[in-house]
Amino acid sequence: DTALPDFKVVEASPAAAQEAGEILRAGGLVAFPTETVYGLGADATNDKAVAAIFAIKERPTFNPLIVHVKDEIQAAKLAEFNDMAQKLAHAFWPGALTLVLKRKADGPLSLLATAGLDTVAVRVPSHPVALALLAEADVPVAAPSANKSGYVSPTLALHVLMQFKDRQGLNLIIDGSSCPVGVESTIIDVTGPVPVLLRPGGVAVEDIEAVVGPVQMPSAEPSSDGDIKAPGQLKSHYAPSIPLRINVEPKDRVKGESLITFGPDMPRRAAINLSKTGDLAEAAANLFIMLRALDMPGIRGIAVVPIPNTGLGRAINDRLNRASAPKDGETPGAPPKYHDP
Ligand code: TXA
Ligand code: MG
């Protein structure tokens, strides 16, 4: 598109938000910080712009995107809100909760954004830079995490730069420093009689249950055949390019492996600690930065100690589980599918 400016990185500011809004309305792509991870945004009503997201992420087009809006009023133009949805939106928006809702049949969304489903995943982020961008754009913004499909999500503008080195198709990165939550939003499907957890994330399931009662947890292991409600739950995901082992006691670390620990009284040699005080929110905020930092030549693998499976620990364990799964068509220990130098 000739109206679109050449690629650049700018620091967050009101002027940057305004420029981002112009780029989005003109059909361009903008990477921006949210409280969870950096998103790669496009006008969710523009088929061509949405198609460009799938192309630069190398994302399968059957995997729908999250649509970001500035408030509940804008969300109500795209999707049907039942009681449960309303309660959850009131309690957690703006914030790290994505609701899967019935899509409005006559709504403006690109069918590609929702992968042709009759539902749509919607979220109002709380990050001030994201909110400023959404206010300026004045269109719903489809934004997956700003990484190549299958790799670790970015929590710094630098991570986005490293993922899209050729910058082809990317018009702007807004640098808003590190993402405070550090893991993606929690996704809850509220289209059925009971809320269903599709992805644990930045809002603890315990807090959601306090508002709407018991949440149905994913029953089986996520499969790699796409036969699942959230296609993004493909088993290998969030994966560094070197092997990762989970639930490893420090004494079982093998030579050449770097250890990720959690809590006090952990070994310090060849190890980095997600949170020395055992704070799961701090651990979540550090997780992707540490996985990326260790994903480099000379390190043969990553071993992670057991992490408590409560609160944000659920999101951490979910990402670690997927990161440790064999990648598509790979056996454990095989060469990496994605490499991020
Ligand atoms: O925190 C986040 O959610 C970040 C920031 C940028 O907002 N976004 C993010 O987007 O993680 P993405 O595309 O990486 O993950 C979106 C997930 C995918 O697993 C996708 O399958 C699922 O949401 N999803 C999207 N629409 C859906 C729908 N209608 N039904 C079920 N799952 C859906
Ligand atoms: Mg993602």
Side-chain angles (χ1 to χ4, degrees):
D1 203 327
T2 46
L4 292 168
D6 287 339
F7 171 81
K8 65 180 162 185
V9 185
V10 297
E11 246 176 69
S13 71
Q18 191 184 351
E19 180 166 18
E22 284 162 14
I23 291 171
L24 289 167
R25 279 196 309 275
L29 301 191
V30 177
F32 62 98
T34 79
E35 72 277 26
T36 58
V37 301
Y38 274 74
L40 178 64
D43 176 356
T45 67
N46 179 333
D47 284 323
K48 239 180 104 180
V50 172
I53 289 184
F54 284 96
I56 88 163
K57 271 186 68 89
E58 297 164 40
R59 177 176 176 120
T61 50
F62 59 76
N63 193 3
L65 307 177
I66 294 177
V67 176
H68 297 67
V69 290
K70 62 186 173 195
D71 55 27
E72 227 180 297
I73 298 166
Q74 196 182 15
K77 292 177 182 157
L78 312 174
E80 311 283 353
F81 279 73
N82 56 23
D83 265 14
M84 214 191 304
Q86 233 153 41
K87 274 190 194 155
L88 288 171
H90 287 164
F92 298 106
W93 282 358
L97 178 68
T98 294
L99 296 175
V100 171
L101 307 166
K102 276 258 168 302
R103 188 165 54 81
K104 280 218 158 137
D106 56 352
L109 291 178
S110 154
L111 282 181
L112 194 54
T114 57
L117 298 173
D118 57 3
T119 56
V120 57
V122 191
R123 164 165 119 83
V124 179
S126 67
H127 196 293
V129 175
L131 285 173
L133 171 146
L134 290 168
E136 290 286 351
D138 206 32
V139 289
V141 173
S145 49
N147 52 279
K148 297 267 185 184
S149 187
Y151 194 69
V152 182
S153 292
T155 52
L156 290 172
L158 177 67
H159 296 156
V160 182
L161 256 182
M162 287 163 72
Q163 285 273 285
F164 303 107
K165 281 219 178 63
D166 65 7
R167 287 134 203 215
Q168 215 49 261
L170 182 56
N171 300 104
L172 182 68
I173 298 177
I174 300 184
D175 184 353
S177 82
S178 64
C179 301
V181 176
V183 290
E184 300 86 345
S185 59
T186 301
I187 305 179
I188 301 276
D189 182 341
V190 290
T191 59
V194 291
V196 179
L197 177 71
L198 297 184
R199 179 178 74 184
V203 172
V205 176
E206 291 87 338
D207 293 341
I208 292 168
E209 292 191 319
V211 175
V212 288
V215 169
Q216 190 182 313
M217 306 289 180
S219 46
E221 279 268 281
S223 65
S224 57
D225 58 7
D227 178 24
I228 193 158
K229 193 134 195 188
Q233 302 203 55
L234 297 180
K235 184 148 187 181
S236 171
H237 220 90
Y238 313 103
S241 60
I242 58 176
L244 183 136
R245 296 195 302 136
I246 53 176
N247 298 322
V248 179
E249 294 299 338
K251 63 173 173 35
D252 298 325
R253 181 181 71 86
V254 299
K255 201 161 174 284
E257 216 172 28
S258 280
L259 186 66
I260 294 183
T261 59
F262 173 78
D265 310 321
M266 282 279 159
R268 300 219 184 130
R269 265 196 68 178
I272 50 173
N273 200 316
L274 285 167
S275 169
K276 285 180 183 154
T277 60
D279 176 349
L280 288 166
E282 183 186 20
N286 283 332
L287 179 67
F288 291 158
I289 291 184
M290 289 183 179
L291 287 180
R292 279 173 179 270
L294 294 177
D295 191 7
M296 61 162 93
I299 296 180
R300 300 241 311 265
I302 301 170
V304 190
V305 303
I307 309 288
N309 202 37
T310 58
L312 292 199
R314 257 186 246 275
I316 295 172
N317 282 316
D318 173 79
R319 305 309 184 267
L320 288 172
N321 254 305
R322 292 173 207 281
S324 69
K327 299 179 179 70
D328 252 2
E330 279 182 12
T331 44
K337 191 168 170 199
Y338 298 103
H339 191 75
D340 197 53

XYZ file of all heavy atoms in Angstrom, residues 57 59 145 147 153 184 237-238, ligand 2:
72
model
N 3.422 -13.895 10.231
C 3.629 -14.816 11.361
C 3.837 -16.262 10.907
O 4.201 -17.113 11.710
C 2.405 -14.796 12.280
C 2.442 -13.750 13.366
C 1.253 -13.909 14.301
C 1.255 -15.160 15.147
N 1.929 -15.044 16.439
N 1.414 -18.166 10.225
C 0.416 -18.799 11.097
C -0.620 -19.529 10.252
O -1.105 -18.995 9.258
C -0.258 -17.714 11.924
C -1.383 -18.179 12.856
C -1.837 -16.986 13.651
N -2.951 -17.199 14.510
C -2.900 -17.031 15.847
N -1.773 -16.704 16.431
N -3.981 -17.179 16.566
N -0.034 -12.620 19.305
C 1.275 -12.277 19.843
C 2.233 -12.039 18.669
O 2.137 -12.704 17.633
C 1.778 -13.397 20.743
O 1.663 -14.657 20.101
N 5.018 -12.799 17.367
C 6.118 -13.740 17.149
C 5.777 -14.618 15.963
O 4.609 -14.703 15.573
C 6.307 -14.618 18.391
C 5.000 -15.262 18.834
O 4.190 -14.632 19.507
N 4.791 -16.506 18.422
N 6.410 -16.040 22.849
C 5.810 -14.709 22.690
C 6.764 -13.606 23.167
O 7.536 -13.801 24.091
C 4.508 -14.616 23.484
O 3.532 -15.449 22.918
N 0.446 -14.638 28.081
C -0.738 -14.222 27.348
C -1.985 -14.249 28.240
O -1.990 -14.848 29.310
C -0.960 -15.138 26.129
C 0.181 -15.156 25.139
C 1.269 -16.154 25.499
O 1.302 -16.645 26.651
O 2.085 -16.455 24.622
N 4.215 -25.315 21.138
C 3.930 -23.893 21.028
C 4.843 -23.229 22.034
O 5.330 -23.873 22.940
C 2.466 -23.660 21.398
C 1.820 -22.639 20.514
N 1.195 -22.978 19.350
C 1.714 -21.292 20.615
C 0.712 -21.891 18.786
N 1.023 -20.836 19.534
N 5.039 -21.944 21.876
C 5.831 -21.192 22.858
C 7.214 -21.798 23.023
O 7.797 -21.750 24.090
C 5.150 -21.182 24.236
C 3.689 -20.853 24.195
C 2.710 -21.830 24.329
C 3.284 -19.536 24.006
C 1.380 -21.511 24.281
C 1.938 -19.218 23.952
C 0.995 -20.215 24.095
O -0.323 -19.901 24.047
Mg 0.643 -16.550 20.217
